[in-house]
Amino acid sequence: EAGVAQSPRYKIIEKRQSVAFWCNPISGHATLYWYQQILGQGPKLLIQFQNNGVVDDSQLPKDRFSAERLKGVDSTLKIQPAKLEDSAVYLCASSRDWYTQYFGPGTRLTVL
Amino acid sequence: KNEVEQSPQNLTAQEGEFITINCSYSVGISALHWLQQHPGGGIVSLFMLSSGKKKHGRLIATINIQEKHSSLHITASHPRDSAVYICAVRSETSGSRLTFGEGTQLTVNP
């Protein structure tokens, strides 16, 4: 089966600009996760969707980050406006159940 | 203090050596995962444990629930094992949310 797809793979922007990332999970996976991974750290959950509903967004900086999964399939994560500290790899993962998450290749964001 | 602590942060080994990476956690868990992350970001799930020991090829993962500790062992290490190894736990109260350690960077030299 095809894996989790993410685009773009790399993005360089200046601070205060906006950026959006896209994720297409594995077909049939109801749960979708967005993680932020800062260099040298483990991933941190930003938001979790179950179908098109939000299960957990407690660690999402809602003043600048937003995410949606309108039809319960693919998802977008947006940052507006970006700050220097947002430089990180943004990982999308999906799962059919609670046991195994399948990760995409990530989007590396550099904010200058 | 992080809920999940890994040691060492960095590990360099010679090909063929036996490698151990440790993970300690401070919360009650329903499961612990070991993940492998190669350069470029892709993460692969290696093991999910709730008790005992699992083996897959040259990889062995153990967990001691009472001591809140898990280890990942690699036997006969190879340069292709070079990657970041991440421990993640699912706490008893967090549903499906995983809390990740900071990872162990393993470099195996030929």
Side-chain angles (χ1 to χ4, degrees), chain B residues 79-104:
Chain B
R80 64 175 174 267
D81 297 327
S82 298
V84 175
Y85 292 83
I86 303 173
C87 171
V89 302
R90 180 178 297 116
S91 79
E92 292 170 328
T93 57
S94 70
S96 61
R97 184 205 288 195
L98 292 176
T99 300
F100 294 79
E102 295 194 345
T104 295

Side-chain angles (χ1 to χ4, degrees), chain B residues 1 9-10 32 50 52 57 67 73 75 82 84 93:
Chain B
K1 185 170 164 36
Q9 279 189 303
N10 294 282
L32 181 144
S50 55
E67 294 186 4
H73 305 286
T75 62
S82 298
V84 175
T93 57

Side-chain angles (χ1 to χ4, degrees), chain A residues 3-6 9 23 90-94 102-107, chain B residues 40-43:
Chain A
V4 176
Q6 288 189 247
R9 291 296 312 279
C23 172
Y90 291 85
L91 294 163
C92 178
S94 70
Y102 296 84
F103 287 81
T107 296
Chain B
I43 293 178

